[in-house]
């Protein structure tokens, strides 16, 4: 029996889950045996379905309506809608009574896990706990070999088509790249399951804990609030615990999700982004700049209000304490500071002695005055510095196959103005969702990334003939627009991509 898959998917986050749903629905409507794509496997490195587990913080909500789930915009009568999930879990009425379009992040993660389980029962193969490490051509034309690693051993599969949707990987500022093996420095992507142990280790030293959070986007704001709440419950000694939020801008800024602005997340906007670069050189960069504050380096207004309220309470307590001289209880609350107009340019680890209370010293540059100052020592540094979108490039470069798809040249502004240029570059901006790869290159910037050509239907265009089709999702923001890394269009996108996959001759 031919063990070759019709489709292998790298990664099983919401993007590929939406594809799995679109495939299952095709199987239901056309009969699986008659479909060109019958044998499908998704490979996911997490041990089970998990959606951003490091940021599933108590009380955090989705920044997208539940109606923009995996499928509703494409097929509202699907059995995979968020409403169907609520119904099957007997929570439909309670959810309605809740009176909000925005589920908690925890509930949305549970919806995704429910859908992932359901597609599995309908014939989609999912292999968890495996990381795709190499993609290469085989000696059979039109067949690719996918190698993944699981617990140190390698597994190979062959497939006719490949779908790469690996999401982002943490963007680490260059000032701390050399220190990332230190357990005191962590990215927000692993925050929720790393911080309890780190705090209890630090608390065991029985001295005030000092933490720096870097970044002015949604993740940093959420983490700052979460740290405050955790530190409130950790006994302080002679002085309170401290959290410094370090941001480059003059102040935290709100994300714009007002109704007119939100239309940039409509499925039609993908056509606009894709076409505009052909029709009007320079317009794509202007469009990104115009809508940057929907997602990048901004914080949702409710989170801003919560953070502001904490700072206001702190001011009030200080005022009361200084007047009455009896504010001991209030003064034991953690201290929050926002260090604005500051850019991290250096960091060093200090040996812990009786005299030093922390282990991390940060050098910050004032973005206006250009002056340098040392801050700390901190016990913990948390990086809310967003995500890069380069995993697809690394996988494509893992063998000679990449040469069929990318041109080994840097991308310039001129390239950006050409159609079909797809590659994004990290700029460590923080996103409001909070996701963030970076936006496409700003005019004049160059990227060391190879240049890839992608069709409107997300298929990589080979330079030399290649019978296998390779599709990408979540890494083509520069051509397909600001929704590419978000959930806004995933249901519709899955339909477009699967339509293309079903065709004998794909769209060009
Ligand atoms: C905390 C957080 C909250 C967010 N909230 C929202 C929101 O409210 N609204 C919104 O629109 N967007 C939000 N986003 C944006 C987010 O990118 C999307 O929600 C969504 O996760 C994108 O799905 P994806 O499948 O493309 O990527 P991911 O969700 O990142 O999934 C990619 C998967 O691929 C796996 N993978 C990567 N490399 C490999 C490999 N080599 N081998 C095997 N598996 C691999 C990863 O483990 C991961 O499970 C949020 C992002 C974050 C970080």
């Amino acid at each position: 029996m031919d063990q070759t898959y019709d489709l292998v998917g790298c990664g099983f986050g919401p993007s590929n889950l939406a594809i799995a749903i679109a495939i299952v629905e095709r199987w239901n409507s056309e009969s699986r045996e008659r479909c060109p794509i019958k044998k499908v496997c998704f490979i996911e490195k997490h041990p089970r379905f998990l959606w951003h587990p490091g940021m599933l913080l108590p009380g955090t909500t989705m920044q997208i309506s539940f109606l923009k789930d995996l499928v509703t915009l494409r097929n509202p009568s699907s059995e995979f809608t968020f409403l169907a999930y609520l119904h099957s879990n007997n929570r439909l009425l309670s959810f309605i009574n809740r009176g909000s379009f925005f589920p908690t992040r925890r509930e949305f993660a549970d919806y995704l896990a429910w859908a992932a389980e359901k597609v599995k029962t309908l014939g989609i193969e999912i292999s968890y706990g495996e990381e795709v490490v190499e993609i290469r051509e085989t000696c059979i034309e039109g067949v690719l070999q996918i190698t993944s690693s699981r617990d140190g051993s390698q597994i190979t599969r062959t497939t006719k088509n490949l779908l790469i949707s690996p999401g982002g990987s943490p963007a680490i500022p260059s000032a701390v790249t050399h220190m990332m093996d230190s357990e005191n420095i962590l990215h927000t992507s692993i925050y929720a399951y790393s911080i309890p142990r780190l705090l209890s280790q630090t608390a065991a030293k029985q001295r005030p804990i000092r933490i720096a959070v870097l970044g002015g986007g949604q993740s940093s704001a959420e983490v700052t609030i979460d740290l405050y709440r955790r530190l409130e419950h950790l006994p302080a000694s002679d002085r309170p615990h401290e959290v410094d939020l370090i941001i480059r801008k003059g102040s935290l800024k709100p994300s714009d999700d007002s109704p007119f602005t939100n239309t940039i997340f409509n499925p039609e906007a993908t056509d606009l982004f894709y076409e505009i670069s052909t029709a009007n050189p320079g317009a794509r960069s202007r469009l990104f700049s115009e809508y940057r504050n929907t997602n990048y380096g901004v914080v949702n207004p409710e989170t801003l209000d919560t953070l502001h309220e904490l700072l206001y309470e702190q001011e009030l307590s200080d005022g009361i304490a200084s007047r009455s001289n009896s504010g001991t209880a209030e003064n034991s609350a953690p201290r929050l500071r926002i260090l604005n107009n500051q850019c991290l340019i250096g960091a060093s680890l200090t040996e812990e002695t009786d005299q030093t209370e922390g282990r991390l010293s940060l050098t910050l540059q004032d973005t206006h005055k250009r002056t340098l100052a040392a801050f700390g020592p901190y016990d913990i540094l948390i990086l809310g510095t967003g995500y890069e979108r380069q995993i697809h490039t690394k996988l494509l470069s893992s063998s000679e196959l990449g040469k069929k798809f990318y041109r080994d040249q840097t991308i310039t502004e001129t390239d950006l103005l050409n159609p079909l240029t797809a590659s994004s570059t990290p700029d460590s901006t923080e996103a409001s969702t909070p996701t963030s790869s970076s936006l496409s290159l700003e005019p004049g910037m160059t990227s060391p990334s190879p240049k890839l050509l992608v069709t409107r239907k997300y298929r990589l265009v080979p330079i030399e003939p290649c019978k296998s089709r390779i599709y990408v999702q979540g890494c083509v923001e520069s051509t397909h627009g600001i929704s590419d890394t978000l959930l806004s269009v995933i249901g519709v996108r899955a339909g477009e991509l699967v339509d293309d996959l079903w065709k004998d001759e794909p769209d060009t």
Side-chain angles (χ1 to χ4, degrees):
M1 199 173 106
D2 185 7
Q3 291 300 312
T4 298
Y5 288 90
D6 297 309
L7 177 69
V8 164
C10 167
F12 199 57
S15 297
N16 274 355
L17 173 55
I19 296 285
I21 292 172
I23 290 175
V24 163
E25 292 189 343
R26 283 283 195 138
W27 286 346
N28 286 346
S29 64
E30 292 169 22
S31 156
R32 183 170 177 175
E33 280 321 301
R34 285 204 292 274
C35 290
I37 307 290
K38 291 186 263 297
K39 193 171 157 62
V40 179
C41 173
F42 291 93
I43 302 170
E44 167 55 52
K45 66 180 176 186
H46 285 145
R48 59 182 193 284
F49 189 93
L50 292 169
W51 182 64
H52 303 307
M55 281 300 287
L56 285 189
L57 302 176
T60 50
T61 52
M62 295 304 291
Q63 288 169 49
I64 198 160
S65 160
F66 72 89
L67 293 169
K68 289 189 173 178
D69 58 17
L70 294 163
V71 69
T72 298
L73 291 187
R74 177 173 54 77
N75 177 13
S77 58
S78 166
E79 57 181 311
F80 289 94
T81 61
F82 186 76
L83 287 179
Y85 153 79
L86 287 175
H87 180 66
S88 76
N89 284 277
N90 291 322
R91 271 204 317 280
L92 187 50
L93 276 169
S94 307
F95 186 82
I96 295 169
N97 290 339
R98 187 173 165 262
S100 168
F101 273 65
F102 304 97
T104 62
R105 211 177 273 160
R106 191 163 149 250
E107 184 167 40
F108 202 78
D110 188 56
Y111 155 64
L112 295 171
W114 167 86
E117 200 48 47
K118 204 166 155 69
V119 289
K120 204 169 172 184
T121 61
L122 296 170
I124 298 281
E125 202 177 312
I126 309 162
S127 193
Y128 290 108
E130 260 185 63
E131 179 168 6
V132 176
V133 290
E134 190 194 71
I135 301 164
R136 59 169 58 246
E137 281 186 295
T138 62
C139 52
I140 306 165
E141 200 193 0
V143 177
L144 300 172
Q145 178 180 295
I146 313 300
T147 306
S148 51
S149 111
R150 175 201 282 272
D151 301 331
S153 53
Q154 300 224 314
I155 300 159
T156 58
R157 291 180 180 83
T158 50
T159 182
K160 293 175 192 156
N161 302 293
L162 174 66
L163 174 54
I164 308 177
S165 315
S169 45
I172 307 299
S174 54
V176 291
T177 40
H178 63 291
M179 297 161 72
M180 286 313 289
D181 55 355
S182 159
E183 62 168 16
N184 309 42
I185 306 181
L186 56 116
H187 188 268
T188 49
S189 56
I190 58 168
Y191 171 81
Y193 51 84
S194 309
I195 199 68
R197 184 185 44 84
L198 213 47
L199 281 184
S200 65
Q201 270 173 16
T202 319
K205 294 174 186 164
Q206 297 195 323
R207 52 175 172 69
I209 301 173
R210 295 188 75 185
I211 304 178
V213 180
L214 184 67
Q218 182 70 22
S219 296
S220 299
E222 285 179 5
V223 159
T224 303
I225 294 166
D226 185 76
L227 282 171
Y228 182 91
R229 299 208 165 117
R230 287 175 196 264
L231 292 174
E232 255 184 328
H233 299 108
L234 277 185
S237 49
D238 52 328
R239 282 186 297 111
H241 306 301
E242 293 172 54
V243 180
D244 286 350
L245 174 60
I246 303 166
I247 63 172
R248 270 195 300 227
K249 290 180 186 161
S251 62
L252 293 168
K253 303 277 190 264
S255 54
D256 181 355
D257 68 345
S258 53
F260 292 115
T261 301
N262 250 343
T263 57
I264 200 64
F265 298 111
N266 289 358
E268 309 84 72
T270 311
D271 294 323
L272 172 71
F273 271 103
Y274 195 77
E275 283 159 18
I276 205 163
S277 52
T278 345
N280 185 353
R284 180 167 50 186
S285 298
R286 287 200 297 278
L287 203 56
F288 273 120
S289 304
E290 184 183 344
Y291 288 99
R292 194 179 169 79
N293 69 343
T294 56
N295 191 42
Y296 288 94
V298 285
V299 182
N300 108 23
E302 290 78 45
T303 313
L304 283 183
D305 285 347
T306 308
L307 191 52
H308 190 265
E309 201 58 26
L310 289 179
L311 282 155
Y312 187 78
E313 278 295 313
Q314 180 170 294
E315 246 180 273
L316 175 65
S317 302
D318 288 352
I320 295 171
S322 71
R323 251 196 356 260
S324 67
N325 260 345
S326 62
T328 346
E330 285 89 344
N331 284 343
S332 67
R335 304 288 306 175
L336 284 182
R337 271 197 308 182
I338 298 185
L339 304 178
N340 52 1
N341 299 312
Q342 298 295 326
C343 179
L344 176 72
I345 58 158
S348 58
L349 284 174
T350 55
E351 280 304 314
E352 187 159 0
T353 65
D354 289 345
Q355 282 75 42
T356 60
E357 292 182 338
R359 298 182 57 223
L360 269 165
S361 172
L362 303 182
T363 307
L364 303 183
Q365 182 172 46
D366 186 293
T367 53
H368 295 309
K369 299 177 200 150
R370 300 279 159 204
T371 47
L372 299 183
F375 283 80
Y378 294 105
D379 296 288
I380 301 168
L381 169 63
I382 295 164
L383 304 171
T385 42
Y387 295 81
E388 316 178 321
R389 303 266 164 185
Q390 297 298 335
I391 300 172
H392 65 299
T393 304
K394 285 185 195 136
L395 286 175
L396 286 167
S397 322
S398 62
S399 76
E400 294 291 299
L401 174 69
K403 290 189 180 157
K404 287 203 165 176
F405 287 92
Y406 67 78
R407 293 146 201 225
D408 192 12
Q409 62 189 40
T410 56
I411 298 174
T412 64
E413 182 185 358
T414 323
D415 293 318
L416 271 178
L417 308 180
N418 291 333
L420 302 178
T421 304
S423 192
S424 49
T425 188
D427 68 358
S428 299
T429 48
E430 311 87 11
S432 91
T433 39
T435 167
S436 131
S437 70
S438 55
L439 287 182
S440 60
L441 301 176
E442 299 295 341
M445 285 174 69
T446 58
S447 158
S449 313
K451 181 170 148 185
L452 293 168
L453 306 181
V454 183
T455 67
R456 169 64 183 79
K457 301 290 170 59
Y458 305 92
R459 185 176 55 83
L460 292 181
V461 181
I463 296 155
E464 297 167 33
C466 179
K467 243 178 125 186
S468 313
R469 297 182 204 171
I470 302 183
Y471 294 86
V472 288
Q473 299 181 101
C475 44
V476 291
E477 188 182 54
S478 58
T479 44
H480 290 64
I482 214 151
S483 293
D484 179 60
T485 62
L486 305 176
L487 299 167
S488 328
V489 298
I490 53 171
V492 174
R493 175 172 73 189
E496 292 170 346
L497 199 153
V498 168
D499 278 351
D500 199 63
L501 200 52
W502 244 245
K503 287 181 181 162
D504 292 339
E505 285 298 323
D507 283 1
T508 51

